[in-house]
Amino acid sequence: MSVLDEVARVDPLGVLSGFRRDLYDCLEARGDELFELVDALLCTDGPVKTLVELSLAPEHRRGHGALYGGLNCGRLDVARLRRALTGLALPRAADGRIVLAVDVSNWLRPDANTSPDRLFCHTYGRGKGSAQMIPGWPYSFVAALEPGRTSWTTILDVIRLRPCDDEIAVTAARIREVVQRICAAGQWTDGDLPVLVVMDAGYDVTRLAFLLADLPVELLGRMRSDRVLYFPPPPQPPGKRGRKPKRGPEFKFEDATTWPAPAITTVTETTRYGLATASAWGQLHPLLVRRSAWADYPEGELPVIAGTVVHLRVGHLPGDRDPKPVWLWWSRCDATAADVDRLWQSFLRRFDLEHTFRMIKQTLGWTAPKLRDPTAADRWTWLVIAAYTQLRLARPMAEDLRRPWERPARHGRLTPARVRRGFRRLHRKTPQLTSAPKSGTAGPGRPAGSKNRNRARERPVGKHSKTDTMKVGADRQAP
């Protein structure tokens, strides 16, 4: 049963109306303004280019000053909104398993010299090897993936990474809280299949597996093609004296001569990638050393984090006739042929999250506002997620208001942008929770000709400690 059929079994309008009530209850200060801002975001025609233009939408009954006042001075109960998102029906794989994806998307702010907590964000250029590091705010998302090829995901959590944060530790804490909320909401019970968490090569999947070993989760992540892992040490021959070796033979991803015969090999014919060949080796672990993340590990031997390595090679990719192989690491060692096929297919579903990032950036205008305060940016990010969630809940009721040059969409195949076109019709059927705006006049503002004597100070960019932050602040305030 598809996700759309699962949602259609219940009253979709009731579910949408219930989430809108939960969202309104989460807005603790300036709730009417923030709620109407979300409605304007959903009902505006075309992509959002600037934030102030949302105040011109009919659903936004307040002025542009109230719009910025709500973002800068409003208050949102994030914990309650997270529980509301987790309480909605979650998509599941064909075997009933919940599949989560973790990834980072950057809100680039290269010219915001007075905005704090900026980091150097990795961005890809158009040409090969033209990546750049641009200042901005990186946000880590956790979303549930749907089965099959789709442009929809279910965003469950997001957090902004700060300069002093350990990205892996923060990601582990986010995954732990999401899984705990899933269990508390009754979405996972004892006896269900473990939750699969998928991530790309930017994460240390082995360390995450160690930090989340007490949870009912499996971790699947891509590894760089230059990694070296190790097999377990061979058994000690009888009668041999001396120290037992700590690790076994090397397994170099770039050197095929170090690969023994794979334990499992599967071949699958696909319509998009041609012939997909997956090979798997079990009981492989990385070499850990006492530096970086493992510098503070208690005295004694470092842990051995063993898992299964999957080597995936496909016949072709769109626009690439000779694609490079993909190396995956799974946090369990008892893989079967069915598990190998399930793993690499689940990893390909991770790229559906890229469609979500493109939707919230290019259509909903997530990174369009020029906000100075990162707290206001966090508030706006959660409002965009709330708007995207309402689009997902309205999917069974949406009409295909296609352009004359567009092809008709099949049932259940409407994209988020097409659902948004007809949301204004659905908006009239949902409860209107905000109160009427109060009449008022704009303030006088700063007198003409006067200078701004409270200039914002510039902020450093990149990783730094608390001591460095205090020192930089003292230097900039010195006469």
Side-chain angles (χ1 to χ4, degrees), residues 19 80-90 154-157 187 382 385-386 389 392:
F19 177 76
R80 186 170 182 176
L81 182 54
R82 283 173 171 151
R83 292 193 298 268
L85 293 172
T86 311
L88 300 173
L90 297 181
T154 303
I155 302 179
L156 300 177
D157 201 353
Q187 307 271 17
W382 278 108
I385 292 176
T389 302
R392 183 174 58 85

Side-chain angles (χ1 to χ4, degrees), residues 68 185 204 280 333 359 368 377:
Y68 283 100
D204 188 351
C333 299
M359 167 65 186

Side-chain angles (χ1 to χ4, degrees), residues 340-396:
V340 173
D341 286 337
R342 174 178 61 86
L343 291 174
W344 69 261
Q345 293 173 16
S346 298
F347 175 76
L348 295 182
R349 294 272 63 81
R350 188 208 70 82
F351 293 97
D352 294 341
L353 196 55
E354 303 296 337
H355 296 287
T356 301
F357 292 155
R358 184 163 53 250
M359 167 65 186
I360 64 176
K361 284 185 175 181
Q362 298 182 1
T363 303
L364 297 182
W366 170 43
T367 58
K370 305 301 181 182
L371 301 173
R372 175 191 297 176
D373 188 5
T375 305
D378 297 344
R379 197 172 295 116
W380 168 249
T381 301
W382 278 108
L383 295 181
V384 172
I385 292 176
Y388 180 83
T389 302
Q390 293 185 54
L391 293 178
R392 183 174 58 85
L393 297 178
R395 183 166 35 153

Side-chain angles (χ1 to χ4, degrees), residues 108-166:
L108 301 181
R109 301 288 281 128
D111 299 328
N113 296 329
T114 60
S115 294
D117 293 345
R118 290 185 302 161
L119 289 168
F120 286 106
C121 304
H122 181 274
T123 57
Y124 290 96
R126 291 186 177 273
K128 185 177 180 180
S130 59
Q132 302 181 43
M133 302 298 291
I134 300 178
W137 293 316
Y139 281 83
S140 177
F141 289 79
V142 180
L145 302 180
E146 296 188 2
R149 293 170 60 182
T150 179
S151 57
W152 292 91
T153 61
T154 303
I155 302 179
L156 300 177
D157 201 353
V158 64
I159 190 171
R160 176 172 48 86
L161 301 177
R162 303 171 184 270
C164 298
D165 286 343
D166 181 352

